[in-house]
Amino acid sequence: MTTIEYLHASKYGNGVAVADELEHRMAAKGVTVDVHHIRDADPRHLPAADLYLFSAPGRFGRPIRRMRRFLEQLDLPAGTPYSVLTTEMAPRPDRKTGEVPDPVPGQKVLPVMNELLQAKGLRKVMDGTVHVTGLKGPLEDGWQSKVDGYADRLAELTPAA
Ligand SMILES: Cc1cc2nc3c(=O)[nH]c(=O)nc-3n(C[C@H](O)[C@H](O)[C@H](O)COP(=O)(O)O)c2cc1C
């Protein structure tokens, strides 16, 4: 049985909906996903799992502070596989050119998550982002299929127990 420990820092509930969708998609593949808000988890004593998935909302270009603190305190063996799934504001098209900036200037939510995790010696399996269309949500149209696609790839890449 493959187990994923899913640790999120959702404030407005969008990240909870993403976690639920991923949990159900993975359950259909025989993968158990245990979802916890990080306020209910101890970064120094996490349950055993085949992969740890960290999910954070963006704040001022970075992951929300509570997640940064959590990852700084994380105690997992070097080489432990992880993945990241952030919720971020959808980039707005440039007013003059109509083009969507990629990358978005000043937006470092995913890179900071990866930096903090790799500083602990963890091994990245994959990362991704689901967008919200307003500061507190809702999630973008089609977000379920985005999460399902993420889950499908993750199921292929997660080392079996
Ligand atoms: C004060 C504030 C600042 C924010 N700054 C960013 C940001 O810099 N980048 C970003 O992508 N999203 C930003 N957001 C939007 C969050 O990404 C959004 O609230 C979050 O994805 C919603 O997830 P949740 O419902 O799980 O909390 C900000 C939201 C608030 C309230």
Side-chain angles (χ1 to χ4, degrees), residues 5-53:
E5 189 68 13
Y6 190 125
L7 296 143
H8 72 84
S10 174
K11 178 149 186 196
Y12 302 114
N14 300 280
V16 176
V18 168
D20 278 358
E21 178 71 22
L22 188 127
E23 182 186 351
H24 287 113
R25 185 81 176 184
M26 292 302 236
K29 299 170 190 291
V31 178
T32 302
V33 181
D34 283 327
V35 179
H36 306 281
H37 195 285
I38 55 172
R39 76 166 89 83
D40 304 319
D42 178 348
R44 295 200 164 87
H45 299 99
L46 291 176
D50 300 300
L51 177 135
Y52 294 80
L53 193 161

Side-chain angles (χ1 to χ4, degrees), residues 2-7 18-19 21-27 29-35 49-55 80-86 114 123-129 145-161:
T2 305
T3 307
I4 294 178
E5 189 68 13
Y6 190 125
L7 296 143
V18 168
E21 178 71 22
L22 188 127
E23 182 186 351
H24 287 113
R25 185 81 176 184
M26 292 302 236
K29 299 170 190 291
V31 178
T32 302
V33 181
D34 283 327
V35 179
D50 300 300
L51 177 135
Y52 294 80
L53 193 161
F54 300 95
S55 175
T80 298
Y82 80 87
S83 68
V84 172
L85 184 52
T86 56
N114 283 314
R123 180 175 63 81
K124 180 164 88 171
V125 170
M126 64 179 284
D127 61 19
T129 297
S145 25
K146 201 165 181 182
V147 175
D148 291 351
Y150 182 99
D152 293 351
R153 264 188 299 147
L154 189 59
E156 283 168 20
L157 296 172
T158 301

Side-chain angles (χ1 to χ4, degrees), residues 59-135:
R59 284 293 182 285
F60 308 107
R62 298 195 291 167
I64 199 165
R65 182 186 161 91
R66 191 194 275 265
M67 180 58 88
R68 298 202 310 271
R69 296 289 96 86
F70 189 86
L71 296 183
E72 281 161 9
Q73 292 168 15
L74 195 63
D75 186 10
L76 286 170
T80 298
Y82 80 87
S83 68
V84 172
L85 184 52
T86 56
T87 57
E88 303 183 26
M89 273 294 285
R92 284 165 209 256
D94 183 279
R95 278 197 202 143
K96 283 183 195 149
T97 64
E99 279 177 30
V100 177
D102 180 23
V104 179
Q107 181 80 330
K108 296 198 163 33
V109 189
L110 266 186
V112 171
M113 292 288 284
N114 283 314
E115 262 167 41
L116 290 167
L117 286 157
Q118 284 165 22
K120 298 282 177 175
L122 270 64
R123 180 175 63 81
K124 180 164 88 171
V125 170
M126 64 179 284
D127 61 19
T129 297
V130 182
H131 289 127
V132 293
T133 54
L135 266 191

